[in-house]
Amino acid sequence: MSAQTKSNAGVIFTCIAGPDSGKRLAITEDEVSLGRSAKCHMLSDDPDVAQRHATFRLDDGKVRYQATGSAEVFVDGHPSRQGVLEPKQQIRLGRSTWQLAGRSSERAFNDFIDNLGQKISSVAGVERIQGFDLRATFSEVFRKHADDEVEAFFNVGGPTTTPPLAQVNTSWPKPWLFFRTFALSVAVYFAFLFGWNEFNNTNLLPGLMMVGSLAIPFSILMLFFEVNVLRNISLYQVLKAVLVGGILSLILTLFLYQFFGKLENSLGAVAVGIFEEVGKAAALLLVINKLRYRWTLNGLLLGAAIGTGFAAFESSGYAFNYLWNSASTEVMTQVIKTRAWLSILGGHVLWAAIVGAALWKVRGDRKFEWKMLGDLRFLRVLGLAAALHAVWDCNFEPPLYLKEIVLGFVVWVVILSFIQEGLKQVREEQLKHSPTPTA
């Protein structure tokens, strides 16, 4: 649930310390609530915050707060049930300290990004992002993790290795394993590159093309594997979706090119976007009826898996063609590296991920029906993915990869929105099965 923001009258409430650090809540004339309940406007990750801890509203330009139930609120260190919060005062909710954000150039920039993200979410038909903190989310990336921890992380998805719903952590994930995968795969790629440059042995070229084409797409896939906090899909199922879904989506796409090739001549990049996104979406029907994978986060992961297969197979094909036509490994490796790095901003993995999340959101816990493909919630996201793909492939190329950066911002806003919705979906289901309500 998102607060109705009145950008010209609202103020921003920011957490400056504690478990909720970095979260921002827009306070307007409409009352907004903060707590650990999925029904609150701001979902707290603070274990000491109640299900509905406090409410806030803007009254004649002043922020009024009200503690809820037996929840404790401290203003500048003093307990308080209700009152008016001044700009320099600090209010403690649980173990988190909040403060009204001041008007500054940073605040203006944050407001601009926030409003832009809200417009993108509105176009895609997803929730507005709230409470996401980039630094906190990736805070575990450079911390030391033992190999045993890595191995245990992959041991998920089986009958005895899927955690009970009540034990699933629904706070924003803090992925780190994807970076390990990225570092390892990139190191292997450069080892192949060194071997080729040193020995000029053509036996190294297939490995160079495969590893280079797969390295970053697979690393991004591992990010989605970690984000699937339900831990109900095994690595085997993910790899099967990469291989089977990847080749099936490629074949389906080629059939579309074969039957509707004339459209490509007239529509250009638009036809490419439609054909390839529809081909990947169709491959999702392979796993759509596995009802144990009923969560939006599952669709996000499975879509990313199919997109990874498509991206890796396509990139290795491009690498081979450039090597064959130019007889230059420098041209080939440049193509591999450019496609790899740009896949972080856009590409088959990310576009297929949002399409998968949208389809799973429509299906929910029901058996798949063909009419679900006509649901506007799915069609809006499929159309957005096709449009992003079309713009990505068009000949317009501003300097400094500005086009790709803008498109990357758009798709990552939608991805984060789906992650937020997915976490909320799990949290709501946990509340339904909670034996006793908590205060």
Side-chain angles (χ1 to χ4, degrees), residues 127-266:
E127 290 184 353
R128 175 187 176 187
I129 301 171
Q130 292 197 24
F132 174 73
D133 182 2
L134 185 65
R135 286 187 300 177
T137 299
F138 295 108
S139 60
E140 295 288 326
V141 166
F142 297 107
R143 292 184 183 176
K144 187 175 181 180
H145 296 277
D147 286 344
D148 289 346
E149 190 176 355
V150 176
E151 292 168 2
F153 197 91
F154 285 122
N155 188 24
V156 298
T160 61
T161 55
T162 299
L165 182 64
Q167 295 180 13
V168 173
N169 184 357
T170 57
S171 59
W172 274 99
K174 294 184 178 180
W176 54 270
L177 188 57
F178 79 96
F179 189 78
R180 288 281 189 94
T181 307
F182 164 77
L184 178 62
S185 55
V186 169
V188 172
Y189 169 76
F190 280 107
F192 270 111
L193 190 60
F194 170 80
W196 164 253
N197 291 331
E198 185 70 19
F199 304 108
N200 236 16
N201 189 322
T202 54
N203 289 333
L204 296 172
L205 289 179
L208 180 67
M209 287 188 286
M210 287 190 298
V211 174
S213 300
L214 186 62
I216 294 185
F218 190 75
S219 302
I220 299 173
L221 176 61
M222 287 299 99
L223 174 65
F224 289 109
F225 185 76
E226 293 182 85
V227 164
N228 180 39
V229 296
L230 293 139
R231 300 288 181 262
N232 63 332
I233 303 181
S234 67
L235 184 60
Y236 164 72
Q237 295 292 342
V238 172
L239 293 178
K240 186 166 73 170
V242 170
L243 297 173
V244 179
I247 185 58
L248 179 61
S249 59
L250 272 173
I251 290 174
L252 291 172
T253 299
L254 290 173
F255 270 121
L256 290 174
Y257 279 119
Q258 180 176 315
F259 291 128
F260 304 102
K262 292 182 179 179
L263 286 177
E264 185 183 3
N265 296 330
S266 56

Side-chain angles (χ1 to χ4, degrees), residues 5-6 11 16 59 75 118 123 128 138 189 202 206 224 229 232 245 247 262 348 356 373 384 418 432:
T5 304
K6 300 178 182 180
V11 296
I16 59 176
D59 184 9
V75 177
Q118 185 179 4
V123 170
R128 175 187 176 187
F138 295 108
Y189 169 76
T202 54
F224 289 109
V229 296
N232 63 332
I247 185 58
K262 292 182 179 179
H348 300 295
L373 298 178
L384 176 63
F418 273 126
K432 288 180 185 179

